[in-house]
Amino acid sequence: MALTHRNHYVPVWYQNRFLPGGQNSLYYLNLIPQIKKLADGQIVKMNDLHIWSPKNCFWVPDLYTTAFFGVQNDEIERFLFGALDAAGSKAVRALVVHDLARLHHLFIKFFEYIDAQKLRTPKGLDWIRSHYPALSHIELMYEMQRLRQMHCTMWVEAVREIVSAEEANVKFIISDHPVTVYNYACSPISEQCKYPDDPSIALKASQTLFPLDLNHCLILTNLEYARDPKGVDPLSNRTHARFHGQTMVRYDTMIRARRFTDAEVNTINFVLKARARSCIAAAKKEWLYPEKSFAGSWPDIREVLLPPESGVWEFGGEIFAGGKTGEPVYYQDEFGRTMYRSEGLRKETKKKIGRNDPCPCGSGRKYKRCCLDKPASQRPSFDERSIRERNLILVRAITDILGLNKGKTWEDVRRELSDEHVKKIYQVVGGLWSPETDLMSLLPHPDPTILRTLYTGMVDPRVILRNVIGFSLYVDEILVLSPFINPRCVKEEFSPVHSPQKHKQQTIKDVLLLLQLAPFIEAGIVNMIPDPGDFDYQLRKDIWDMAEKRLKHWRPAAGDEDKEKIEALARDDFMRTIFGLPDESITHKIRVASPEISDERLSQTLDYIKEMRILDPLALLQPVRPGKENAQYLVSHFGPNLELCLFVAQVTGSFVYTDSPHRWNEILAADDTERKLGGYNTAEDFERILSNEFTFLNQVDFGTALKIRGSAKMSELRRLLKQVWTRILIHAEDEIHAGENQELCNRLTKARLSVASDLESIRKRLQEGAKDPLGSLQTTIEARLAWKIPSKGFGANNVYRLLLMHSRRTDYLKSLPMAALVQFVDE
């Protein structure tokens, strides 16, 4: 079979729908005509208007053709787009003639078709390319297929209207990017419309236009905007915006009341032409120039595109689906959320916020130092309790449930922890983090003035003081993945709400970790974030699939440092479990191990074990009940993994910090420098200065740690480190700053040495004043920090795809600029 080389990115069958009966050619206008220089130096513009049949319009040779080992392949054109076009043409026809019998089967196929149509054009393919550092043609075709259907969920939930041009003399035109997005707050010269970008369909005021034929155009409008066009922020995301997820809608609901005039049809044609890449076509020549009759401004267009109020009432509302018994088995609100929202997590924001008021985003900082100058699209939500505020709610709830605010000691908690305590704690966790939570609206946005890091490694109270609080001396903010299991995201058999007796030991560990971090959470230094996969199942599945494929042949090597660390913590947990057994069980195990032991020595051993358990803050001081139903789940939290790590870091504008050699090697393998053009020469200078010994706080009370962190010299060092971060983010490719970079390196070296001297004297004072019953308290620890700053950052195609499909943001970092590894001297 001969290869198909002429790839139509706007299908011929679709173009034919814009030809009146008896006409077989289109007027085809090139918006960027070729310029030719003649031999005499004269510059002439080539003909920009052609009369061509649809077969000669909107095609590029081998646009979708791939080649493997030199053998060309056209299966994408023949099989992928062949099937999509076959279903799409039937769906468009059924939609226009309102054939509900056919539309019942073709409704989803229609949205799958227009989603593919949005990505398959040269502009759509350029949009994909712009979000990756470099893509071969085969990689581009692969990413295009993986990104398909990313708009379907929000489109089917929109208000659907088909407007008619049957009574107008002007008809709808064809664009080389037929699926066109309009937002009245994003003019064609705005940043959101800079080629090849379009305003995101997730923005409240974004409307999608798709001409169906000569006389009909589909307009998709977000429900909130359709109801209250003047009362919504046009650049904020719609409620429960998501690019993937199941939903339920009425397929037979469609507004069909409006008959457009010539002026109104010209208005839509003006938008189509303004957002085209380079070509448009129409059945009549004069229709190609809508700007001649359109006299309004870009925002004025919304008056034509807004659906009539009388038809909007048919959309939205709650859905209850029942089974044979009549009881509801499925619930969905008008935004696709399958659970009732918690009004307790909503908050009212003052209309006028003072510069010195607490920032409504919940960061704990003053408004003037946080979100004052940031648009809504580049700051966390003002309407929902922030991650920090939810963590503080959890802290207060735990102290109340366990009686820590009523004089109970930590030893009392370990003796008296009940099933009801565990259940209540995790009910609070589930209440704070419903599966419908829009986590992306709560996560911080990139900000070059904030030195933020994401910690990836063991999340355990035995190492968190050193790894997180110790490193907090040198950064503004640390993100840590929460260890708390979300009971609403696991099966009942593993849920701490339904089987609380199995989670007592793990609850002790997680609660202690939270209490250790609480003062730093309150101060806005540590932000304990939940796993994004808890709220986006497709994201979790994609990340697991990627990790499984990446690690398919990986096995831990002998002497692996991470393996040894995890095994040491596991042995500690095992001994704690053994020591928690009843005396008769421990006695039996000791007798088996040492048959010759005397009764007196055995009694002394038991007393010592009891004393050690009291001194061990992680030990559960209550009898272990026998039986499988009382077995304890112990969870080792080592995360986030590489893909989630890069995803969260780029979404939040963080660099990555780890104590794991394995994770470090994974990050180094994601160096994207070789895949990108250009580079700069300052990274090695910063790496050399930063890769040195640093002092970490290890076992220091929180008040003292915060006081040390707030000292003038520590603040100066952080300020200089922040300047390095800002320089990397903003001036990475600007070599004119080479002299300034050297000066910054010199100041950084001086500040680091000064801080090291101060911390040495602080360490001596802390050690002298420490009260440690075992005499082993180590208040500080020396560590070697290795920094890596690739000239073009770290990244992976899989993660760029995750950012496009799941972040719903445009301000995420285009790569991970920097990473750091800590190695402690005692390891």
Side-chain angles (χ1 to χ4, degrees):
M1 181 182 294
L3 288 176
T4 303
H5 291 286
R6 181 176 286 200
N7 296 159
H8 284 87
Y9 53 88
V10 179
V12 172
W13 67 262
Y14 177 77
Q15 297 180 55
N16 284 329
R17 296 186 63 83
F18 292 79
L19 288 171
Q23 184 173 328
N24 55 19
S25 295
L26 290 165
Y27 287 89
Y28 187 78
L29 177 65
N30 188 343
L31 302 175
I32 311 175
Q34 290 184 335
I35 303 296
K36 188 174 182 179
K37 186 175 182 180
L38 302 180
D40 60 0
Q42 183 181 356
I43 304 295
V44 297
K45 184 173 72 171
M46 304 296 288
N47 185 27
D48 60 351
L49 183 65
H50 307 274
I51 303 175
W52 283 342
S53 71
K55 287 186 178 181
N56 291 320
C57 301
F58 303 110
W59 66 275
V60 173
D62 293 321
L63 184 61
Y64 311 124
T65 303
T66 56
F68 295 91
F69 304 107
V71 179
Q72 290 189 323
N73 184 299
D74 65 350
E75 290 184 354
I76 292 176
E77 170 75 359
R78 287 191 296 114
F79 295 118
L80 175 64
F81 291 129
L84 283 169
D85 286 336
S89 63
K90 294 177 184 177
V92 169
R93 192 178 306 116
L95 200 60
V96 170
V97 302
H98 201 50
D99 185 345
L100 294 180
R102 286 182 177 272
L103 196 59
H104 173 72
H105 301 286
L106 296 169
F107 185 73
I108 297 301
K109 294 292 183 183
F110 170 77
F111 288 98
E112 289 177 355
Y113 165 71
I114 64 171
D115 208 335
Q117 179 62 74
K118 191 176 192 309
L119 296 179
R120 72 194 281 188
T121 67
K123 180 178 178 180
L125 294 175
D126 285 345
W127 177 80
I128 295 173
R129 282 194 191 94
S130 70
H131 289 83
Y132 294 74
L135 287 175
S136 67
H137 187 65
I138 290 177
E139 289 174 329
L140 176 61
M141 293 298 101
Y142 177 79
E143 294 302 324
M144 176 188 67
Q145 295 177 70
R146 293 302 299 266
L147 291 170
R148 281 195 313 112
Q149 303 181 17
M150 66 179 289
H151 303 93
C152 292
T153 299
M154 285 190 282
W155 273 339
V156 300
E157 289 178 350
V159 173
R160 301 180 293 276
E161 181 185 20
I162 294 178
V163 295
S164 170
E166 292 171 306
E167 298 176 5
N169 295 314
V170 179
K171 306 298 181 181
F172 296 114
I173 66 173
I174 310 171
S175 158
D176 61 2
H177 193 62
V179 182
T180 303
V181 179
Y182 165 82
N183 187 307
Y184 76 86
C186 304
S187 72
I189 61 172
S190 66
E191 191 65 26
Q192 294 92 337
C193 291
K194 185 178 180 181
Y195 184 85
D197 288 336
D198 282 322
S200 170
I201 68 164
L203 301 179
K204 285 180 180 174
S206 288
Q207 295 175 274
T208 302
L209 313 180
F210 181 63
L212 300 170
D213 61 20
L214 198 69
N215 286 309
H216 300 90
C217 181
L218 174 69
I219 305 176
L220 302 172
T221 307
N222 288 323
L223 180 61
E224 289 159 294
Y225 178 58
R227 283 179 175 167
D228 186 14
K230 295 182 179 179
V232 302
D233 178 353
L235 299 181
S236 63
N237 282 339
R238 54 148 275 189
T239 299
H240 198 43
R242 65 214 186 280
F243 286 119
H244 283 281
Q246 293 183 339
T247 190
M248 184 181 293
V249 298
R250 288 186 55 176
Y251 73 90
D252 61 336
T253 305
M254 188 78 65
I255 302 174
R256 295 174 177 267
R258 291 202 288 169
R259 299 289 184 266
F260 271 17
T261 63
D262 289 1
E264 290 170 323
V265 175
N266 265 321
T267 299
I268 285 187
N269 288 344
F270 178 81
V271 176
L272 297 176
K273 184 174 182 178
R275 302 302 300 132
R277 176 178 180 266
S278 61
C279 302
I280 57 174
K284 288 189 177 182
K285 177 181 176 180
E286 56 268 27
W287 300 345
L288 296 173
Y289 305 96
E291 65 276 8
K292 292 182 179 180
S293 59
F294 177 77
S297 65
W298 189 259
D300 292 338
I301 296 171
R302 64 174 170 161
E303 301 300 330
V304 173
L305 300 184
L306 277 169
E309 285 186 48
S310 58
V312 175
W313 70 269
E314 294 186 82
F315 296 86
E318 296 177 304
I319 296 175
F320 294 87
K324 292 182 179 179
T325 62
E327 294 184 4
V329 294
Y330 178 84
Y331 163 79
Q332 176 183 301
D333 73 2
E334 58 193 3
F335 300 113
R337 295 175 295 192
T338 56
M339 296 183 182
Y340 288 107
R341 65 182 305 189
S342 173
E343 292 299 324
L345 296 175
R346 295 275 299 167
K347 62 182 182 183
E348 295 294 330
T349 303
K350 294 190 301 184
K351 290 185 178 180
K352 187 173 182 180
I353 308 167
R355 291 173 55 84
N356 292 311
D357 288 345
C359 187
C361 79
S363 66
R365 296 189 290 272
K366 290 183 179 180
Y367 184 47
K368 66 181 179 182
R369 300 186 184 279
C370 195
C371 294
L372 174 61
D373 299 319
K374 297 177 183 178
S377 59
Q378 294 181 15
R379 58 164 172 76
S381 170
F382 280 8
D383 303 321
E384 301 277 345
R385 298 287 177 191
S386 68
I387 295 174
R388 171 179 168 272
E389 289 168 326
R390 296 182 196 215
N391 284 329
L392 293 177
I393 290 172
L394 180 59
V395 170
R396 290 192 291 270
I398 286 174
T399 56
D400 184 59
I401 291 168
L402 299 180
L404 290 168
N405 57 352
K406 302 180 182 72
K408 296 283 187 181
T409 65
W410 186 242
E411 183 177 331
D412 294 332
V413 169
R414 293 184 290 140
R415 290 187 188 280
E416 300 170 9
L417 185 69
S418 67
D419 294 353
E420 189 63 20
H421 289 151
V422 174
K423 181 178 180 180
K424 286 182 177 180
I425 288 172
Y426 283 95
Q427 283 176 331
V428 174
V429 173
L432 290 171
W433 299 110
S434 160
E436 305 294 342
T437 300
D438 183 4
L439 184 63
M440 288 300 125
S441 71
L442 302 177
L443 287 172
H445 286 248
D447 185 340
T449 67
I450 297 176
L451 183 58
R452 180 181 295 126
T453 185
L454 170 67
Y455 168 69
T456 174
M458 290 297 298
V459 182
D460 189 287
R462 290 165 287 186
V463 299
I464 211 73
L465 286 172
R466 181 187 66 181
N467 289 0
V468 173
I469 294 179
F471 194 52
S472 70
L473 295 177
Y474 305 105
V475 295
D476 294 329
E477 184 181 336
I478 301 180
L479 304 182
V480 181
L481 208 61
S482 172
F484 283 90
I485 295 173
N486 191 327
R488 300 173 73 173
C489 300
V490 295
K491 290 184 177 180
E492 286 190 5
E493 60 188 289
F494 303 113
S495 168
V497 170
H498 292 90
S499 302
Q501 73 281 2
K502 295 183 178 183
H503 292 266
K504 284 188 173 183
Q505 181 62 68
Q506 187 63 38
T507 299
I508 289 292
K509 290 173 64 176
D510 294 345
V511 167
L512 180 60
L513 182 142
L514 178 63
L515 295 179
Q516 288 174 335
L517 295 179
F520 294 83
I521 293 172
E522 174 74 42
I525 299 167
V526 172
N527 220 353
M528 197 170 74
I529 65 173
D531 186 338
D534 285 348
F535 317 104
D536 187 339
Y537 173 76
Q538 188 62 45
L539 172 65
R540 168 171 287 172
K541 183 178 183 302
D542 289 344
I543 286 174
W544 284 356
D545 290 345
M546 292 170 185
E548 183 178 24
K549 183 177 180 180
R550 175 172 52 83
L551 298 171
K552 184 177 181 179
H553 301 293
W554 176 84
R555 297 292 182 273
D560 184 278
E561 290 184 40
D562 289 315
K563 183 170 175 285
E564 292 177 356
K565 291 177 187 176
I566 293 171
E567 287 178 346
L569 293 176
R571 284 193 297 270
D572 185 50
D573 284 333
F574 176 74
M575 292 306 299
R576 187 172 293 110
T577 301
I578 294 296
F579 290 167
L581 293 172
D583 285 355
E584 56 270 22
S585 298
I586 298 177
T587 298
H588 173 72
K589 289 184 177 295
I590 294 174
R591 291 284 189 195
V592 171
S594 304
E596 73 286 355
I597 192 169
S598 67
D599 291 345
E600 181 181 359
R601 185 68 172 170
L602 178 60
S603 177
Q604 291 174 345
T605 302
L606 291 173
D607 290 341
Y608 177 74
I609 288 173
K610 291 176 182 177
E611 182 182 350
M612 290 295 294
R613 290 185 67 214
I614 292 173
L615 294 174
D616 179 3
L618 296 179
L620 190 62
L621 302 179
Q622 50 189 257
V624 176
R625 289 176 287 177
K628 182 179 179 180
E629 67 277 5
N630 295 307
Q632 294 296 299
Y633 288 124
L634 293 179
V635 183
S636 293
H637 296 277
F638 186 88
N641 82 334
L642 176 65
E643 286 79 12
L644 186 57
C645 173
L646 293 174
F647 176 82
V648 173
Q650 289 176 240
V651 163
T652 59
S654 308
F655 73 90
V656 171
Y657 156 69
T658 185
D659 68 337
S660 163
H662 172 70
R663 182 73 76 245
W664 180 247
N665 289 330
E666 288 183 324
I667 293 170
L668 294 183
D671 187 339
D672 249 356
T673 298
E674 293 184 2
R675 306 182 65 223
K676 302 178 184 177
L677 300 175
Y680 64 102
N681 302 318
T682 59
E684 291 183 1
D685 293 336
F686 290 140
E687 286 179 356
R688 176 175 50 81
I689 296 299
L690 294 174
S691 296
N692 218 310
E693 290 188 358
F694 284 74
T695 299
F696 276 53
L697 300 179
N698 189 32
Q699 299 178 61
V700 178
D701 71 85
F702 313 121
T704 302
L706 286 170
K707 186 175 180 181
I708 294 171
R709 186 182 184 280
S711 66
K713 289 188 176 181
M714 288 306 314
S715 298
E716 173 64 11
L717 179 57
R718 278 198 308 280
R719 187 181 70 81
L720 293 173
L721 287 169
K722 191 186 308 180
Q723 286 187 23
V724 172
W725 175 245
T726 304
R727 189 64 50 81
I728 292 168
L729 290 181
I730 298 178
H731 303 302
E733 300 178 24
D734 194 347
E735 295 187 11
I736 65 171
H737 291 278
E740 296 178 17
N741 290 336
Q742 185 56 54
E743 181 186 354
L744 178 56
C745 286
N746 294 338
R747 285 187 289 146
L748 191 60
T749 301
K750 183 177 179 181
R752 189 182 59 77
L753 293 174
S754 178
V755 164
S757 175
D758 259 25
L759 285 175
E760 176 59 23
S761 62
I762 289 172
R763 184 191 67 78
K764 291 179 181 178
R765 292 200 300 273
L766 289 173
Q767 197 69 38
E768 291 170 359
K771 296 179 180 179
D772 179 17
L774 299 181
S776 60
L777 188 65
Q778 188 178 7
T779 56
T780 62
I781 186 171
E782 295 304 310
R784 176 88 183 178
L785 277 171
W787 299 75
K788 186 65 178 175
I789 311 172
S791 60
K792 288 296 179 179
F794 300 102
N797 280 352
N798 284 341
V799 177
Y800 299 130
R801 187 187 320 126
L802 294 177
L803 290 164
L804 275 176
M805 295 170 65
H806 299 283
S807 75
R808 304 190 317 278
R809 291 187 175 183
T810 57
D811 63 341
Y812 59 77
L813 301 183
K814 300 310 178 185
S815 63
L816 173 68
M818 183 168 74
L821 169 71
V822 62
Q823 295 174 300
F824 296 100
V825 295
D826 64 340
E827 296 179 343

